């Protein structure tokens, strides 16, 4: 047996930054950013933390499901940009929502992370280990963005999204997921502790400039673009074939919100109408593993996604990683 989505939630930081705001400290402009990416705004953390966004998103998802935290058996948080290594964000969410019976861990598959977390919770449900799981994508990318690099910083934003899954005899599940670590240098970011801490005398000193470079996201935009435009449609084709589904049977393709041109290119290659590829990146930019659940939550709340509809969620990003997951809502 698999799990069905019975509630969704999201949370965005209040501070909204426009393209024009960026052009005050960067050589860029609204027209260039919109034309190349489709992005108009992004929300960035001010006094909030990614952990707090995750807790609010989780509470909203539980409210939508009509459940209390006590009924949650498992919490998996996907993040690459939280404030905490210890305790894990999922343990902080557990405390925040009173899910005292839940098993908890975080995972990182970059922008494919929400799918990795969703698939993991489905696996635990299908093994009979749990009945109810909470899947969260929560990011504070503004803290690791290189704000001096106009070719990457224009893309990213912060936010969190969540979904509650409950065991259901009618639920269906199918997935594909891949990684190509050999191309990992296309999108990188290191934690700083590896560079200056360690057993006395074992770690070489690094300059502040080198440290800043390595601890902010560095991206080869064109390589990531080429990878995404090829692998996203290929992954969706692979999923449809594996699940013996027709393209027409899919009501919505919820793609990771990285760039409107990537999403439009994927729709074109798949030969599916662009109207089936909703986008909210104009408002939020790329929120990594939070982008798919934020979009899912918005569409559910707007009544666009209806019970019984077939969704394909498709993620791609750092690693490099990519995947697609079938959801019957
Ligand atoms: N404003 C104005 N000009 C900019 C700019 C900005 N923010 N960023 C780059 N430029 C300039 C470049 O310097 C370059 O100028 P030049 O021709 O004089 O050298 C020109 O615009 C073209 O740059 P290029 O890098 O070729 O643009 P692009 O069309 O590839 O768009 C990205 C850049 C980053 C928008 C695009 O490559 C992309 O979206 N890639 C995918 C990234 C992604 O989604 N990453 C996350 C995946 S999860």
């Amino acid at each position: 047996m698999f799990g069905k989505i019975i509630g969704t939630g999201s949370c965005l930081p209040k501070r909204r930054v426009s393209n024009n705001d960026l052009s005050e400290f960067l050589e860029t402009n609204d027209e260039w950013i919109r034309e190349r990416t489709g992005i108009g705004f992004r929300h960035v953390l001010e006094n909030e933390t990614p952990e707090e966004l995750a807790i609010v998103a989780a509470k909203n998802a539980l409210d939508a499901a009509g459940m209390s935290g006590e009924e949650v058996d498992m919490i998996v948080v996907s993040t690459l940009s939280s404030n905490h290594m210890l305790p894990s964000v999922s343990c902080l969410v557990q405390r925040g929502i009173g899910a005292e019976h839940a098993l908890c861990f975080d995972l990182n598959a970059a922008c494919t992370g929400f799918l990795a977390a969703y698939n993991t919770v489905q696996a635990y449900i299908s093994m009979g280990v749990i009945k109810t799981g909470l899947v969260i994508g929560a990011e504070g990318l503004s803290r690791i963005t290189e704000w001096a690099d106009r070719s990457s910083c224009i893309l990213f934003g912060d936010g969190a999204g969540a979904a509650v899954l409950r065991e259901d005899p009618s639920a269906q599940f199918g997935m594909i997921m891949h990684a190509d670590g050999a191309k990992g240098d296309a999108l990188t970011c290191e934690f700083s502790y590896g560079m200056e801490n360690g057993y006395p005398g074992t770690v070489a000193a690094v300059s502040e400039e080198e440290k800043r470079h390595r601890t902010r996201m560095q991206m080869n935009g064109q390589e990531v673009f080429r990878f995404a435009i090829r692998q996203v449609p290929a992954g969706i084709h692979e999923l449809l074939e594996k699940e013996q589904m027709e393209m027409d049977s899919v009501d919505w393709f919820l793609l990771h919100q990285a760039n409107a041109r990537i999403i439009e290119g994927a729709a074109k290659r798949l030969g599916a109408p662009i109207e089936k590829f909703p986008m909210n990146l104009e408002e939020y930019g790329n929120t990594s593993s939070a982008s798919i659940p934020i979009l899912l939550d918005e569409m559910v709340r707007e009544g666009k996604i209806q019970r019984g509809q077939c969704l394909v969620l498709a993620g791609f990003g750092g690693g490099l990683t990519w995947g697609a997951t079938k959801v019957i809502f």
Side-chain angles (χ1 to χ4, degrees):
M1 208 184 310
F2 291 112
K4 204 160 199 165
I5 297 176
I6 58 164
T8 62
S10 57
C11 181
L12 278 304
K14 286 187 197 68
R15 177 81 184 266
R16 183 174 186 252
V17 174
S18 69
N19 292 339
N20 286 332
D21 292 332
L22 296 185
S23 66
E24 282 176 19
F25 63 90
L26 272 179
E27 205 179 309
T28 190
N29 58 75
D30 182 60
E31 193 188 347
W32 192 97
I33 300 173
R34 284 183 184 271
E35 199 177 293
R36 302 286 177 121
T37 70
I39 295 166
F41 304 88
R42 69 283 300 140
H43 291 231
V44 298
L45 295 167
E46 216 162 15
N47 300 316
E48 315 98 322
T49 65
E51 290 78 354
E52 286 164 359
L53 302 184
I55 291 170
V56 176
K59 284 181 175 166
N60 291 341
L62 287 174
D63 282 349
M67 284 177 55
S68 71
E70 283 175 2
E71 296 169 78
V72 175
D73 304 320
M74 177 177 196
I75 303 169
V76 183
V77 176
S78 159
T79 184
L80 60 82
S81 53
S82 66
N83 287 8
H84 281 79
M85 295 279 283
L86 280 173
S88 66
V89 180
S90 50
C91 284
L92 293 169
V93 171
Q94 177 195 35
R95 186 161 73 188
I97 63 171
E100 58 193 48
H101 308 297
L103 67 98
C104 299
F105 56 87
D106 295 354
L107 57 76
N108 172 4
C111 304
T112 318
F114 182 77
L115 298 193
Y118 180 92
N119 298 341
T120 303
V121 168
Q122 287 288 17
Y124 274 68
I125 293 174
S126 79
M127 288 188 295
V129 179
I130 63 157
K131 288 189 190 323
T132 305
L134 184 53
V135 191
I136 301 171
E139 303 289 1
L141 295 179
S142 62
R143 304 280 165 85
I144 56 168
T145 293
E146 177 48 89
W147 289 107
D149 176 10
R150 66 177 183 170
S151 66
S152 68
C153 75
I154 52 156
L155 299 172
F156 301 109
D158 303 330
V164 183
L165 298 186
R166 188 157 65 201
E167 182 187 73
D168 188 312
S170 72
Q172 294 183 33
F173 173 65
M175 60 153 284
I176 61 100
M177 200 165 156
H178 298 288
D180 184 357
K183 296 207 175 79
D185 288 347
L187 188 46
T188 62
C189 183
E190 291 179 19
F191 282 114
S192 60
Y193 64 82
M195 283 188 265
E196 52 193 8
N197 300 335
Y199 185 76
T202 61
V203 185
V206 286
S207 68
E208 279 306 308
E209 193 187 351
E210 172 70 2
K211 184 177 164 188
R212 181 180 169 111
H213 180 78
R214 286 162 62 169
T215 56
R216 308 271 172 142
M217 277 187 286
Q218 306 296 328
M219 183 183 73
N220 180 334
Q222 292 186 0
E223 194 177 336
V224 176
F225 192 93
R226 278 195 299 274
F227 145 77
I229 209 101
R230 192 175 58 247
Q231 295 301 2
V232 173
I236 292 175
H237 270 305
E238 184 187 343
L239 175 74
L240 296 182
E241 206 167 299
K242 189 174 166 204
E243 294 297 308
Q244 300 182 325
M245 288 159 62
E246 296 296 327
M247 190 79 69
D248 290 349
S249 68
V250 181
D251 294 292
W252 300 105
F253 296 88
L254 270 61
L255 269 52
H256 167 48
Q257 302 287 294
N259 183 321
R261 287 194 296 142
I262 293 176
I263 297 174
E264 286 157 6
K268 200 166 166 194
R269 283 191 182 209
L270 288 164
I274 188 68
E275 294 72 29
K276 287 191 174 185
F277 292 74
M279 291 187 225
N280 63 4
L281 51 75
E282 202 256 338
E283 177 64 30
Y284 306 126
N286 176 346
T287 57
S288 190
S289 69
S291 86
I292 292 175
I294 292 171
L295 180 62
L296 176 69
D297 182 48
E298 283 192 346
M299 292 192 65
V300 169
R301 285 174 193 272
E302 286 165 10
K304 291 182 180 152
I305 293 179
Q306 303 274 333
R307 283 283 157 214
Q309 283 190 331
C310 176
L311 321 180
V312 167
L313 315 182
F316 55 93
L320 299 173
T321 56
W322 66 102
T325 294
K326 166 186 153 185
V327 172
I328 305 296
F329 188 74

